Amino acid sequence: MPPQAPAAQEYARFVLVVILLFFLSSSSDNGPPPGFAGSPRDYAAAKVARQRRNLDVLNTTQWEDFAPRAADEPRFLNLTGFRAEDDLLWDRLGAFRERAALFTDEAGGKWRLDRETQLRAGVLGEVYENVTGIVVGRWVRYTGDLEGGEERHRRYNLSQVTPEVEWSGNEELWDRNITGTEGKLMLRVDERDVEAVDVEGLSLGSGWVREVAATMTIQDESSSGDGWDMRIHGVHWPRQGVMLMTTTSDKFAGLFGLPHLTMDMNHFTSSKMLLNKTLEKTVEKMEKAYWTEVNNPWSSSSDGQGDSALSTPHCEYVVYVQVYPLDLGLALNDDYMDTASIVQQIEQELRFPNGAPTPPAPKMRMSTVIFSPDCGFMLESKGPPAFPSEDGDHLVGRKQEVFLHQVQSWLLVYAAVIFGQVLLLKMQSKEASTPSTVGRISIYTIAMMLMADALLFSSLSLLSATAPNIFPSALLASFAALMSVALGVRFITAVYNVQEPERRERLRVQLAAQAANTPQPSPAPTPSSAPIITAAGADTAPPPGTASAPTAQATANNTPIIIPSDQDIDAEIAEVANAASAVPRPTLPTTNQGATTPTQQVPRASNFGAVYVQFVLALTFILFVSLSALSWPVTFRTFYIHFLSVAYLSFWVPQIRRNIIRNCRKALLWKFIIGQSILRLLPFAYFYLREENVLFSEPDWKAFTALAGWVWIQIWVLAAQEILGPRWGIPKGWTEEGWDYHPILREDNVEAGGLPIGLVRAPGSPTLERVRTGDEGKKSDGPARNIRTVDCAICMQVLEVPVVAAGTDASAAGGVVGMLGRRLYMVTPCRHVFHSACLEGWMRFRLQCPICRENLPPL
Ligand SMILES: *[C@@H]1O[C@H](CO)[C@@H](O)[C@H](O)[C@H]1NC(C)=O
Ligand SMILES: *[C@@H]1O[C@H](CO)[C@@H](O)[C@H](O)[C@H]1NC(C)=O
Ligand SMILES: *[C@@H]1O[C@H](CO)[C@@H](O)[C@H](O)[C@H]1NC(C)=O
Ligand SMILES: *[C@@H]1O[C@H](CO)[C@@H](O)[C@H](O)[C@H]1NC(C)=O
Ligand SMILES: *[C@@H]1O[C@H](CO)[C@@H](O)[C@H](O)[C@H]1NC(C)=O
Ligand SMILES: *[C@@H]1O[C@H](CO)[C@@H](O)[C@H](O)[C@H]1NC(C)=O
Ligand SMILES: [Zn+2]
Ligand SMILES: [Zn+2]
């Protein structure tokens, strides 16, 4: 029993354990920081007490109690980050409010205009009340309010701001410090299970307010290339479509100070009421359970784990969002209530579909202004009025229901695509049911497809397990992928087992080469220059030279070639190592192939097991790298994605290589090649070309053209190999000669063993008669070529073979016409000649000459 298979499995287990440990150890721990004197309980109690004090401050303060840049007397709050001594860069707060108001005006916002003004200005329309969904767009840096366009930067003494917290990481380089000027922005708004209050007597719907949370992804393209994910919490005035959200951390009590950052007194009043209520609940919950949980409930870390005890400082954000009124595409009329009820009907129908006739749900559109009070920058979504709408249209997206519906339908389409792949694979494995046909197929081509399907299966099943909203279609797609994987594994096992003798043979050749290098009496070279092929097992498909005796001299001759490796290298190394421990023996010509070599003792099953383990390891590795790639900088990640795509879409390359090495054509069905190429390019087409794809990737025509072109080139190379011969375009010296089934036949071809057996110059042949009598025939035949006939032993029909006369230049037969002519007959190494179609059909079942039962090298 070879030791390598269990060793590989041990290794796999080890890797899995390491990965598991990694995931376990990277989860946050919430104990007190190392410097904290006291029990974890005290630490938690102190933390909760701070929140309670913050809540009191919120309860007792009034509008305009926070006016950091008031001319007469600046006023501050006793909240972390809002105090005078914290000295945050509040001087841009006024500009932030102005910008927000401008964007609201641009959207036709209602809270600044009374009803009459609105109607006069023609601003009609309603906003979505529930904006749960996803919007994407671009951001730009705003510096318009700054003198000289220079932002002020401050360095903070964190141990002074928050003496009770221990900060880790670099205190000067904070996370989420956006330094670029432009990038991508994604906002995922979430309004599930939210509290709401409705305060009477406030103007224009500013009394109705509710909680909201969102995940914001900011990609900074022009500078470091990093992207940041953050969770922000805040309030939403659904009737006005206004949201204000902030981050909250140990050094910034954002949510507690939020009402003081609102636009006017009405918004202050309603948001204070709401936050007083909801924060009170949260703080009460924390007080009841502080021995189990001291997490920041409003943490801005996007993984939802909360800040760990050793927090890294990051820039704080205040985010203002204005939802645009819907463009229903209907003729505007003055009936305000009508539009409103249409929007309500649309939302109702989306959420609880019961077939009511509503117009299709319009897109969701939002604009946003983002202000970081400590890092001092201001960002805004790109669009009017600062930019023409061709350059940017703020943030556009879909409501969650529409989005999920879209994901569902695309998953169904994709499931159909995978079923198509399954059908093609089934067709191919049915076609390749005999050893000789299976022997031509490159195991790597199939393995690459299998690898992709396995990755797909794992991610789809993860998706169907974690996203209940799209469960049915994700399950269907993952089931299709599973079928594809199962069929692929079966096929690959078949290919692997059939190609087993080939690998053994390779090893034998290596041993022979070793033996030939050490001086020893070698057996006499074979006397005949014709290829010697001896009998071997009938059912295996030996490659050329399987049964011959490859000694140094013999290989120099005209012997059918020994094929170099295109198989699994590691298994080979293991085999060699294994064999090396056996006694090296002089290689003798053996007719019984491989029976005396040590590798014969390696059982197949364990061999395939080793390959299987490697396959799983490679899969785990790719999954692991891809998971960590999610947090890489954008440029690296893009490079990685492109690299993976190109590597995956090179799946025909191993087949091209195998065709060249084995000098064989027709390994795969054309249906399979074309079908798989198209089906496997379809997902790329979707993500690279479709503007509104579910991953929000931007259309990239160039990249897709390059990828599709690469597949296209591979198909053309395969086609050229099929038509012009597998080694077409390859310099002669690069590959070892295989047996040429379509040689140029010459009368004086003595070195190559003469003409095929049984050719007669039969004048009685009807076809020949016709050729001879026809004037054209004489001319085209020319004096240099003549035609011989023989009865094909398979179909018993006459076979005409053009033969180049002695002493003439064979180049006349070398042109394309001559080459196509030579494709009509096939000459075996045992000098029997058949119709190409007949022998190819025969060789699908037997690799033996139908006449003399000599072994045949595969096509
Ligand atoms: C909040 O402030 C009001 C007065 O403005 C006071 O009556 C009430 O007790 C305060 N509530 C809390 C929980 O501090
Ligand atoms: C602010 O609150 C702290 C306790 O959190 C208190 O010790 C301090 O006196 C307060 N400062 C002012 C100006 O009220
Ligand atoms: C930061 O503040 C702490 C406590 O107030 C003080 O001891 C320390 O020297 C300050 N560090 C710097 C760099 O100013
Ligand atoms: C943010 O980046 C700017 C530019 O690199 C730098 O000057 C500033 O100190 C950084 N701010 C923080 C808080 O790291
Ligand atoms: C908003 O819509 C989402 C998705 O349908 C739903 O889960 C959520 O409860 C809704 N929120 C409100 C406040 O209606
Ligand atoms: C805040 O909530 C507390 C307790 O729920 C209540 O006593 C207080 O009056 C509220 N304050 C305001 C300003 O609504
Ligand atoms: Zn025939
Ligand atoms: Zn023969």
Side-chain angles (χ1 to χ4, degrees):
M1 193 58 201
Q4 80 269 19
Q9 270 149 7
E10 286 300 321
Y11 180 58
R13 207 168 297 145
F14 173 73
V15 169
L16 283 182
V17 166
V18 167
I19 290 173
L20 211 65
L21 281 179
F22 176 83
F23 277 118
L24 286 180
S25 66
S26 64
S27 69
S28 73
D29 73 298
N30 300 316
F36 187 80
S39 68
R41 200 188 155 107
D42 295 341
Y43 175 71
K47 214 167 169 175
V48 173
R50 277 205 301 279
Q51 308 291 14
R52 171 56 74 184
R53 274 201 306 273
N54 286 348
L55 189 58
D56 287 345
V57 172
L58 172 67
N59 183 24
T60 50
T61 49
Q62 295 305 317
W63 173 237
E64 293 194 327
D65 276 356
F66 181 64
R69 292 298 175 263
D72 44 344
E73 174 208 4
R75 291 184 295 279
F76 290 91
L77 301 175
N78 197 4
L79 288 174
T80 326
F82 293 80
R83 294 174 299 203
E85 64 266 30
D86 294 340
D87 194 18
L88 261 50
L89 301 163
W90 286 116
D91 32 353
R92 300 191 74 182
L93 182 62
F96 169 70
R97 284 191 171 133
E98 267 166 35
R99 224 45 210 165
L102 181 72
F103 275 23
T104 294
D105 283 347
E106 172 67 22
K110 288 186 287 292
W111 62 269
R112 288 167 63 85
L113 306 172
D114 61 75
R115 179 96 180 87
E116 294 306 310
T117 329
Q118 259 181 48
L119 287 177
R120 255 182 283 120
V123 180
L124 279 176
E126 278 287 309
V127 292
Y128 278 130
E129 282 183 357
N130 184 343
V131 287
T132 305
I134 305 181
V135 288
V136 290
R138 299 190 69 78
W139 60 264
V140 288
R141 206 179 185 89
Y142 177 70
T143 51
D145 59 312
L146 298 168
E147 286 155 27
E150 277 293 308
E151 281 164 12
R152 198 152 68 84
H153 293 293
R154 267 214 58 213
R155 191 170 286 180
Y156 297 93
N157 186 350
L158 284 179
S159 48
Q160 200 175 4
V161 176
T162 53
E164 64 283 341
V165 179
E166 186 151 321
W167 295 92
S168 69
N170 192 331
E171 292 213 354
E172 264 138 54
L173 288 178
W174 288 6
D175 274 356
R176 303 178 193 160
N177 186 3
I178 309 278
T179 51
T181 55
E182 192 165 352
K184 261 193 272 188
L185 176 65
M186 176 155 94
L187 201 61
R188 274 173 288 163
V189 186
D190 177 5
E191 290 194 289
R192 274 169 297 172
D193 313 320
V194 290
E195 293 261 1
V197 295
D198 200 346
V199 187
E200 297 287 319
L202 298 180
S203 71
L204 282 169
S206 55
W208 184 30
V209 62
R210 68 175 175 227
E211 288 177 290
V212 68
T215 307
M216 187 162 69
T217 308
I218 301 184
Q219 267 177 21
D220 187 348
E221 283 170 4
S222 44
S223 65
S224 62
D226 281 5
W228 305 110
D229 253 354
M230 70 202 80
R231 186 111 179 123
I232 47 182
H233 300 260
V235 292
H236 179 199
W237 291 269
R239 267 183 214 131
Q240 301 179 333
V242 170
M243 288 185 268
L244 190 66
M245 295 176 271
T246 94
T247 54
T248 306
S249 73
D250 284 328
K251 65 182 174 60
F252 186 66
L255 209 48
F256 295 93
L258 182 86
H260 295 276
L261 304 175
T262 52
M263 309 301 131
D264 60 19
M265 175 127 178
N266 287 336
H267 290 100
F268 172 82
T269 312
S270 51
S271 59
K272 184 182 160 191
M273 297 270 269
L274 174 71
L275 287 173
N276 185 29
K277 183 172 154 196
T278 58
L279 296 183
E280 168 78 31
K281 269 190 192 165
T282 316
V283 172
E284 247 171 38
K285 221 186 282 170
M286 283 170 84
E287 280 166 342
K288 276 188 197 135
Y290 63 81
W291 55 87
T292 57
E293 204 178 348
V294 289
N295 268 345
N296 175 2
W298 312 281
S299 160
S300 58
S301 64
S302 58
D303 52 9
Q305 280 183 336
D307 303 323
S308 58
L310 283 177
S311 357
T312 22
H314 57 71
C315 295
E316 309 292 345
Y317 286 79
V318 179
V319 181
Y320 177 88
V321 179
Q322 171 68 53
V323 183
Y324 272 63
L326 296 188
D327 180 10
L328 283 172
L330 305 173
L332 288 181
N333 59 25
D334 276 3
D335 195 346
Y336 182 81
M337 280 315 292
D338 213 5
T339 328
S341 73
I342 287 180
V343 174
Q344 270 170 10
Q345 280 169 25
I346 291 176
E347 292 206 83
Q348 178 75 12
E349 175 64 21
L350 278 178
R351 204 159 160 211
F352 309 105
N354 52 17
T358 52
K363 285 186 186 161
M364 214 156 55
R365 218 175 134 212
M366 302 177 189
S367 59
T368 182
V369 186
I370 301 165
F371 169 48
S372 174
D374 49 359
C375 296
F377 56 79
M378 225 157 104
L379 317 175
E380 62 185 34
S381 55
K382 193 174 182 181
F387 294 86
S389 49
E390 303 87 60
D391 287 358
D393 205 11
H394 295 296
L395 310 174
V396 183
R398 281 148 284 176
K399 273 175 75 85
Q400 178 175 303
E401 294 94 337
V402 181
F403 177 72
L404 288 179
H405 186 75
Q406 210 170 6
V407 173
Q408 292 246 36
S409 11
W410 282 112
L411 273 176
L412 285 183
V413 171
Y414 194 39
V417 168
I418 305 176
F419 269 119
Q421 289 175 11
V422 171
L423 289 184
L424 284 172
L425 189 62
K426 191 161 155 271
M427 198 163 26
Q428 177 64 55
S429 54
K430 211 177 202 173
E431 175 73 17
S433 51
T434 59
S436 80
T437 44
V438 171
R440 299 173 200 164
I441 293 171
S442 165
I443 204 165
Y444 284 121
T445 290
I446 308 297
M448 281 163 84
M449 296 182 177
L450 180 60
M451 181 87 81
D453 291 347
L455 277 176
L456 196 68
F457 168 65
S458 41
S459 37
L460 280 175
S461 41
L462 194 71
L463 190 68
S464 64
T466 52
N469 287 320
I470 52 170
F471 170 71
S473 42
L475 190 69
L476 186 67
S478 89
F479 175 67
L482 179 65
M483 268 171 65
S484 187
V485 168
L487 209 62
V489 167
R490 218 188 63 183
F491 190 45
I492 224 166
T493 317
V495 174
Y496 186 87
N497 286 341
V498 163
Q499 292 175 2
E500 174 77 24
E502 187 183 312
R503 281 186 296 278
R504 276 206 301 262
E505 181 55 30
R506 250 189 357 254
L507 181 71
R508 218 166 63 82
V509 170
Q510 278 165 355
L511 288 180
Q514 275 174 13
N517 285 343
T518 56
Q520 58 173 309
S522 64
T526 45
S528 162
S529 59
I532 295 209
I533 300 185
T534 46
D539 276 335
T540 54
T546 296
S548 71
T551 58
Q553 287 95 329
T555 37
N557 251 326
N558 206 355
T559 325
I561 46 133
I562 308 307
I563 285 149
S565 149
D566 62 346
Q567 294 300 317
D568 177 52
I569 312 278
D570 293 321
E572 193 180 4
I573 292 169
E575 268 182 311
V576 171
N578 210 29
S581 59
V583 187
R585 60 178 78 223
T587 330
L588 295 169
T590 53
T591 51
N592 189 359
Q593 52 140 353
T596 50
T597 57
T599 51
Q600 188 74 13
Q601 296 141 16
V602 179
R604 280 176 185 181
S606 79
N607 245 344
F608 188 67
V611 173
Y612 188 71
V613 166
Q614 282 166 5
F615 185 80
V616 172
L617 274 184
L619 203 67
T620 318
F621 179 74
I622 293 180
L623 265 179
F624 194 58
V625 174
S626 305
L627 273 183
S628 62
L630 291 179
S631 58
W632 291 355
V634 180
T635 31
F636 286 129
R637 199 165 54 197
T638 315
F639 178 80
Y640 176 73
I641 290 172
H642 283 315
F643 172 77
L644 261 196
S645 311
V646 170
Y648 167 48
L649 289 178
S650 307
F651 42 72
W652 300 127
V653 169
Q655 186 60 55
I656 293 173
R657 182 168 175 269
R658 187 168 177 88
N659 283 354
I660 292 172
I661 287 170
R662 304 254 322 201
N663 201 10
C664 64
R665 303 175 290 136
K666 299 193 176 173
L668 298 164
L669 290 175
W670 274 108
K671 258 187 268 180
F672 182 77
I673 294 174
I674 304 281
Q676 288 281 9
S677 304
I678 292 176
L679 291 183
R680 283 172 194 275
L681 269 175
L682 279 182
F684 288 89
Y686 174 73
F687 287 119
Y688 278 93
L689 300 186
R690 204 183 149 80
E691 210 148 323
E692 288 178 5
N693 59 65
V694 297
L695 285 191
F696 300 97
S697 58
E698 275 179 13
D700 190 348
W701 280 92
K702 275 187 209 151
F704 180 73
T705 315
L707 288 177
W710 171 227
V711 176
W712 185 242
I713 289 171
Q714 293 172 59
I715 295 180
W716 271 105
V717 171
L718 280 175
Q721 285 186 327
E722 168 117 19
I723 297 166
L724 302 174
R727 292 182 179 175
W728 166 80
I730 306 267
K732 279 243 154 55
W734 286 18
T735 53
E736 293 171 78
E737 279 296 315
W739 176 255
D740 182 8
Y741 274 105
H742 309 282
I744 299 174
L745 297 176
R746 301 171 58 100
E747 267 180 341
D748 55 352
N749 200 354
V750 190
E751 303 95 57
L755 284 175
I757 301 165
L759 288 189
V760 283
R761 225 186 275 257
S765 158
T767 332
L768 270 187
E769 225 46 85
R770 202 179 57 235
V771 170
R772 291 247 162 95
T773 49
D775 297 329
E776 308 291 328
K778 254 179 196 135
K779 269 177 205 153
S780 67
D781 273 352
R785 303 178 66 192
N786 49 35
I787 294 210
R788 312 267 178 106
T789 63
V790 69
D791 279 348
C792 170
I794 298 173
C795 65
M796 299 299 169
Q797 304 287 313
V798 174
L799 167 63
E800 296 173 357
V801 184
V803 175
V804 179
T808 48
D809 186 8
S811 63
V816 174
V817 178
M819 196 185 61
L820 288 178
R822 281 186 278 123
R823 289 263 168 259
L824 296 178
Y825 61 85
M826 284 171 88
V827 181
T828 62
C830 50
R831 292 165 55 208
H832 290 117
V833 59
F834 306 92
H835 289 116
S836 291
C838 298
L839 191 63
E840 277 175 13
W842 172 271
M843 284 171 75
R844 288 162 52 97
F845 301 101
R846 282 263 152 132
L847 285 179
Q848 281 181 321
C849 174
I851 298 177
C852 63
R853 299 196 162 256
E854 290 281 302
N855 277 349
L856 298 177
L859 271 184

